[in-house]
Amino acid sequence: MKHYRKELWFEIPTRRAFINITPDVDICLKESGIKNGLLLCNAMHITASVFINDDESGLHRDYETWLERLAPHEPVSQYHHNTYEDNADAHMKRQIMGREVVVAVTDGKLDFGTWERIFYGEFDGRRKKRVLVKIIGE
Ligand code: ZN
């Protein structure tokens, strides 16, 4: 069995953003040479997510509104976590949007449904963060 590991680095200039990382993950898959197996992709930070959904800007604005309703950033004093930090909302947003995705690899391709794409969700940006890509298979 072959195995492959790579860290993708991001430094998002805003506090929050959704980035389509499917092209980066595709490059990893090509580099790995693996044709059939499983691909794991996870955020290595507890205030960022990796998830699969539609690459549609209206949906991403809807996510932003929905997440702000569930876990508003302000007032930061409403959270016990915010003693020396102000990112309690980012931890909660990450929890809802998830840590990782697993994608089947079939015939050298990400075995997606029609509209599935992989996103990096940043909830406390403006610093360097990592995403892990691990691929195992033949
Ligand atoms: Zn924190």
Side-chain angles (χ1 to χ4, degrees):
M1 189 182 70
K2 287 192 211 173
H3 55 92
Y4 171 95
R5 181 188 189 277
K6 190 167 189 180
E7 292 175 5
L8 305 175
W9 284 84
F10 300 94
E11 186 166 6
I12 308 299
T14 52
R15 183 178 286 273
R16 289 190 291 278
F18 297 120
I19 311 291
N20 183 349
I21 62 168
T22 313
D24 308 83
V25 176
D26 251 330
I27 289 168
C28 292
L29 182 54
K30 298 290 172 293
E31 279 177 8
S32 76
I34 292 170
K35 300 294 180 205
N36 287 284
L38 289 174
L39 182 150
L40 167 76
C41 182
N42 66 271
M44 298 179 82
H45 300 264
I46 53 181
T47 54
S49 288
V50 170
F51 62 93
I52 292 179
N53 218 300
D54 195 0
D55 191 9
E56 197 279 305
S57 61
L59 179 66
H60 298 170
R61 280 162 52 202
D62 292 336
Y63 278 145
E64 168 66 17
T65 305
W66 177 65
L67 290 168
E68 266 304 287
R69 207 180 295 144
L70 288 170
H73 177 65
E74 302 274 358
V76 296
S77 60
Q78 72 188 302
Y79 299 104
H80 298 292
H81 179 67
N82 287 341
T83 47
Y84 63 94
E85 288 189 297
D86 67 352
N87 67 0
D89 66 302
H91 289 277
M92 292 174 184
K93 286 162 177 151
R94 182 270 167 94
Q95 203 71 43
I96 292 165
M97 297 305 282
R99 171 183 181 265
E100 78 275 307
V101 299
V102 176
V103 182
V105 173
T106 305
D107 299 330
K109 290 183 181 161
L110 299 168
D111 202 341
F112 277 149
T114 308
W115 300 107
E116 289 187 309
R117 300 293 180 273
I118 305 173
F119 290 88
Y120 175 69
E122 177 61 81
F123 307 115
D124 187 21
R126 301 166 299 180
R127 55 200 167 101
K128 291 185 103 178
K129 290 189 176 177
R130 287 176 294 166
V131 165
L132 177 66
V133 178
K134 179 85 184 189
I135 313 170
I136 56 171
E138 304 281 330

